Amino acid sequence: GAGVSQSPRYKVAKRGQDVALRCDPISGHVSLFWYQQALGQGPEFLTYFQNEAQLDKSGLPSDRFFAERPEGSVSTLKIQRTQQEDSAVYLCASSRTGGTDSPLHFGNGTRLTVT
Amino acid sequence: AQSVAQPEDQVNVAEGNPLTVKCTYSVSGNPYLFWYVQYPNRGLQFLLKYITGDNLVKGSYGFEAEFNKSQTSFHLKKPSALVSDSALYFCAVRDYNFNKFYFGSGTKLNVKP
């Protein structure tokens, strides 16, 4: 398909485990975003890449969260030593350019449950 | 700081009736406004955007939105609701630095047959 693909769709982790969430953006899309969506809430910004450069990581909640996009395409969001408050849906989105009129195209998300 | 507010957690409407989902915004600079829809266990889907130009913006699935600068509002509308429109709707504003979208808390739309 031509959409944004995220894997896994569901992840259950025991508290203290490390997890890695993958995002395959739409081919050719320059910008890539990670958002965190808690139950019943709107998405909250985590971080933003333009190609391989991470231009904004101000939304990452702690230094346990780390994101990379080494070749300007696939991105991975890593959470170390997971805590229960990390339980949420993690959404990846891409856009064709960094321009203001370029909408986001979202994947279906990864639902992380920390037990 | 940029922000949006969706004052209604839920909107109920009968099929065939017009619907409105409200959104107000607060921005520094020009507002870049978007509406997204989310179905259960899915990501958000783009509906429409306002960047500049006509205050009435038309989008996907028969939806439209009216930009009102004096009231700082960007309400989503549809002349005739369908049961299949039932979903969660999010208003968003894009930061003038281009790299962040700020989303509202969402409005659940229930369209009853």
Side-chain angles (χ1 to χ4, degrees):
Chain A
V4 177
S5 177
Q6 291 187 248
S7 60
R9 285 283 279 126
Y10 303 94
K11 177 68 179 179
V12 179
K14 291 186 177 180
R15 190 174 61 180
Q17 283 185 329
D18 298 349
V19 298
L21 312 180
R22 178 187 169 101
C23 173
D24 280 274
I26 294 173
S27 178
H29 276 199
V30 168
S31 299
L32 185 145
F33 301 77
W34 283 99
Y35 280 82
Q36 181 189 59
Q37 187 176 22
L39 189 64
Q41 300 295 317
E44 295 282 342
F45 172 83
L46 292 177
T47 187
Y48 161 68
F49 291 86
Q50 186 163 317
N51 296 307
E52 69 278 5
Q54 188 175 21
L55 298 186
D56 191 333
K57 55 181 180 179
S58 61
L60 296 177
S62 76
D63 58 8
R64 296 186 296 104
F65 287 70
F66 172 76
E68 61 183 3
R69 193 186 186 199
E71 298 179 358
S73 178
V74 171
S75 177
T76 303
L77 176 67
K78 298 179 180 178
I79 308 174
Q80 297 176 322
R81 305 181 303 281
T82 52
Q83 303 294 316
Q84 285 191 320
E85 61 263 27
D86 300 335
S87 296
V89 175
Y90 290 85
L91 296 169
C92 176
S94 67
S95 67
R96 186 172 55 85
T97 72
T100 53
D101 63 343
S102 188
L104 296 180
H105 299 266
F106 282 85
N108 288 333
T110 294
R111 182 179 298 276
L112 173 64
T113 303
V114 181
T115 61
Chain B
Q2 329 287 1
S3 66
V4 293
Q6 295 182 242
E8 303 156 316
D9 290 337
Q10 186 167 299
V11 169
N12 299 312
V13 64
E15 187 175 32
N17 283 0
L19 69 87
T20 299
V21 182
K22 295 180 180 177
C23 172
T24 58
Y25 65 88
S26 174
V27 302
S28 51
N30 293 324
Y32 304 109
L33 298 161
F34 299 76
W35 274 101
Y36 286 83
V37 60
Q38 186 175 36
Y39 296 98
N41 298 315
R42 301 294 297 275
L44 282 69
Q45 296 178 30
F46 169 72
L47 280 179
L48 52 79
K49 64 184 179 184
Y50 173 82
I51 304 299
T52 186
D54 290 341
N55 290 340
L56 187 64
V57 178
K58 294 189 182 298
S60 306
Y61 312 120
F63 283 93
E64 56 191 28
E66 186 172 10
F67 171 69
N68 187 316
K69 187 173 182 178
S70 63
Q71 297 184 4
T72 62
S73 67
F74 188 56
H75 300 332
L76 181 69
K77 300 182 178 184
K78 188 173 183 181
S80 179
L82 299 174
V83 173
S84 57
D85 293 331
S86 298
L88 194 55
Y89 290 81
F90 290 97
C91 182
V93 62
R94 190 163 193 174
D95 185 84
Y96 67 92
N97 282 328
F98 313 148
N99 61 353
K100 292 180 186 176
F101 281 69
Y102 295 89
F103 287 86
S105 55
T107 299
K108 185 177 181 182
L109 174 65
N110 295 314
V111 181
K112 299 182 179 180

